[in-house]
Amino acid sequence: MTITLLRGRLLSFKRAPQSAADEDSYFYESDGGLLIEDGRIVARGSYWQIKAATPAQAVEIDHRPHLIMPGFIDTHLHFPQMQVIASYAANLLEWLNTYTFPEECRFVETAHAERIAVHFYDELIRHGTTTAVAYCSVHKTSADAFFAEAMRRHMCMVGGKVMMDRHAPQGLLDTPQMGYDETRQVIADWHGKGRNHVAITPRFAITSTPEQMEATAALVREFPDLHIQTHLSENHDEIKFTSELYPGAIDYTDIYAHYGLLGKKSLFGHCIHLSGREADAMSDAGAVAVHCPTSNLFLGSGLFPLKALSRRDKPVRIGVATDIGGGSSYSMLRTMDEAYKIQQLLGERLNPLESYYLMTLGNAEALLLSDRIGTLEPGTDADLVVLHAGATPAMALKMEVVKTLSEELFLLQTMGDDRAISETYVAGVALKSALSHALK
């Protein structure tokens, strides 16, 4: 049995903060102890209280004065797009056709998929992300590489083999039957193995024929407990093209509703340009709109109305994500910095407590996994991030005048990146320092 006692300042959310002064929304301990046994949190509280009940054989690690939080969660990104990031294009559809689709064709090769999987997980760990929801490519080899590497690192991951049978290069197409059969095989091979969760993954309505959408609907009926992920209303040209492909639908969201893809475990990337009817439909179904701020800005897709969607009479559930490689950073800190700016441009305010809630407990709730991740509650998995607010000279200088927890969080969000991640723990094991040693 492995027993570890971590010491540091502990911060974890109980619920969504109502304001920047909502101290009841979170748990904070200025000198905290976190006791971990075999990958699970078993106790938390003041250091001296936890220390008194800690077995003598426990390994103690002192992270003071840093913040210990639940590991960050990224609810939408693309595993095969690591070498697509930072590609110059005018808009979404040009970017897909010029860079993304040709790159994803390479994932038919097992060796390439396995190599990128190692880099992919290295970057998540380096940036403090302990759980992510990822699109693989259309090839089963990509899903196999993705889930095998997740198991090797004992990470809680959600992912799926993309289904797409039109409007892409020949090397990136399956068929309705192949998409169905291979997704079923991915589920059989990987779902529930280690900490893996398989998601049913039609890329989006443009790249799936009605026949493939019917095959997707069949999978949803057979596996009602699985996550579903796809894209929705990212770009005006995309919306127009989708409406032409499905002329019988009321709107873009109605396409997915028709095939039974709207539900509490449905994750829809972007959702920037939803109509009121569409937002109502998502709210009624409990579906999640996933905000990808760096991607939306990079591709010029639009400004996501996060606050407006959250406060409507029928609120829409929200997740936040990097959307690598349309997104421009693996860092959830950088992601929330851009989310803050988007709300500023919309005349809204996103306070620091909200940002950290969204990328921890909020995203765990979006995935319906908050009983296991996104919190420091005893009994949950010990996926953690240790944050260093003075990680760079400029940050250290600013920290000299920081007086409150909210100010420190905002500094980390505004100026932080992978350098502000002092350590990343997965199931109680320190992985970032191990990664650093391996690179030396």
Side-chain angles (χ1 to χ4, degrees):
M1 178 182 292
T2 302
I3 304 176
T4 306
L5 173 61
L6 303 185
R7 187 177 187 180
R9 292 184 295 135
L10 306 181
L11 174 63
S12 181
F13 288 89
K14 305 173 188 176
R15 56 167 172 79
Q18 300 304 305
S19 71
D22 187 1
E23 295 183 359
D24 291 335
S25 67
Y26 61 87
F27 163 85
Y28 176 70
E29 185 67 59
S30 60
D31 185 7
L34 198 66
L35 188 63
I36 300 167
E37 290 185 13
D38 292 335
R40 296 277 187 92
I41 298 169
V42 295
R44 71 169 192 191
S46 71
Y47 168 73
W48 294 108
Q49 172 195 8
I50 302 301
K51 173 70 172 175
T54 297
Q57 72 269 29
V59 175
E60 184 170 332
I61 303 172
D62 192 343
H63 284 295
R64 290 177 298 169
H66 304 333
L67 272 172
I68 301 174
M69 290 191 66
F72 297 147
I73 301 168
D74 186 346
T75 52
H76 180 109
L77 76 170
H78 294 261
F79 157 53
Q81 293 181 16
M82 292 194 77
Q83 292 181 296
V84 176
I85 194 170
S87 295
Y88 182 72
N91 55 51
L92 169 67
L93 298 181
E94 178 188 318
W95 178 82
L96 284 172
N97 290 312
T98 306
Y99 302 105
T100 305
F101 289 161
E103 174 60 27
E104 290 192 8
C105 286
R106 300 173 65 197
F107 282 75
V108 69
E109 300 172 9
T110 298
H112 180 71
E114 290 176 346
R115 172 178 175 257
I116 297 300
V118 172
H119 288 289
F120 179 80
Y121 284 97
D122 284 354
E123 286 306 311
L124 295 185
I125 294 301
R126 191 173 288 117
H127 289 85
T129 297
T130 53
T131 291
V133 184
Y135 290 64
C136 300
S137 74
V138 75
H139 316 99
K140 185 176 182 293
T141 51
S142 69
D144 291 341
F146 173 84
F147 285 119
E149 191 64 21
M151 284 192 69
R152 191 176 76 80
R153 304 187 193 217
H154 307 292
M155 293 178 74
C156 177
M157 298 294 288
V158 183
K161 184 207 97 74
V162 161
M163 300 169 69
M164 50 194 298
D165 66 341
R166 66 175 171 183
H167 299 303
Q170 187 59 43
L172 209 57
L173 297 177
D174 56 14
T175 65
Q177 190 64 49
M178 185 188 305
Y180 171 85
D181 290 342
E182 291 193 341
T183 298
R184 282 189 108 262
Q185 193 59 52
V186 171
I187 294 166
D189 291 347
W190 298 110
H191 187 67
K193 308 291 175 63
R195 303 172 70 195
N196 287 332
H197 300 259
V198 173
I200 298 167
T201 309
R203 190 185 202 109
F204 63 154
I206 286 176
T207 52
S208 287
T209 60
E211 292 75 20
Q212 183 163 78
M213 295 297 280
E214 290 286 2
T216 303
L219 287 166
V220 173
R221 289 192 297 270
E222 288 179 62
F223 303 98
D225 294 332
L226 264 59
H227 290 91
I228 302 164
Q229 61 177 345
T230 190
H231 297 80
L232 174 63
S233 295
E234 180 177 0
N235 168 286
H236 289 298
D237 290 340
E238 168 213 7
I239 296 167
K240 180 174 180 292
F241 189 22
T242 304
S243 297
E244 292 169 357
L245 292 171
Y246 288 88
I250 301 169
D251 47 40
Y252 199 162
T253 303
D254 187 50
I255 299 167
Y256 295 129
H258 175 75
Y259 293 103
L261 304 188
L262 242 61
K264 291 183 178 179
K265 299 191 84 169
S266 301
L267 307 167
F268 291 94
H270 307 295
C271 299
I272 304 169
H273 308 290
L274 297 177
S275 67
R277 194 215 72 82
E278 290 178 289
D280 283 349
M282 289 194 65
S283 180
D284 290 342
V288 178
V290 182
H291 180 26
C292 307
T294 70
S295 174
N296 297 163
L297 293 173
F298 180 77
L299 293 171
S301 301
L303 306 178
F304 179 78
L306 186 153
K307 302 294 284 191
L309 287 174
S310 300
R311 67 166 175 259
R312 59 197 311 274
D313 291 339
K314 288 188 172 183
V316 177
R317 296 170 66 212
I318 303 293
V320 292
T322 63
D323 192 28
I324 296 298
S328 53
S329 174
Y330 294 90
S331 170
M332 291 302 295
L333 295 173
R334 303 267 26 85
T335 295
M336 295 315 297
D337 181 43
E338 297 305 304
Y340 170 83
K341 295 171 189 175
I342 287 174
Q343 295 314 299
Q344 288 284 89
L345 289 170
L346 291 171
E348 305 276 10
R349 300 298 302 279
L350 182 65
N351 75 63
L353 294 179
E354 288 178 283
S355 292
Y356 286 79
Y357 160 78
L358 283 167
M359 56 185 163
T360 56
L361 180 60
N363 272 352
E365 290 172 339
L367 299 178
L368 301 182
L369 291 173
S370 58
D371 61 327
R372 300 301 302 271
I373 59 174
T375 174
L376 299 183
E377 288 292 327
T380 61
D381 298 333
D383 293 345
L384 313 165
V385 64
V386 182
L387 298 171
H388 179 12
T392 68
M395 293 173 72
L397 189 65
K398 170 64 177 177
M399 272 298 290
E400 292 178 10
V401 296
V402 165
K403 296 181 175 61
T404 68
L405 176 63
S406 283
E407 288 177 351
E408 180 180 1
L409 294 175
F410 194 62
L411 162 61
L412 279 160
Q413 174 185 306
T414 306
M415 301 180 72
D417 52 28
D418 59 304
R419 294 169 293 180
I421 309 302
S422 178
E423 186 58 273
T424 304
Y425 289 88
V426 169
V429 177
L431 292 189
K432 183 170 183 179
S433 55
L435 180 61
S436 299
H437 291 319
L439 293 174
K440 290 180 181 177

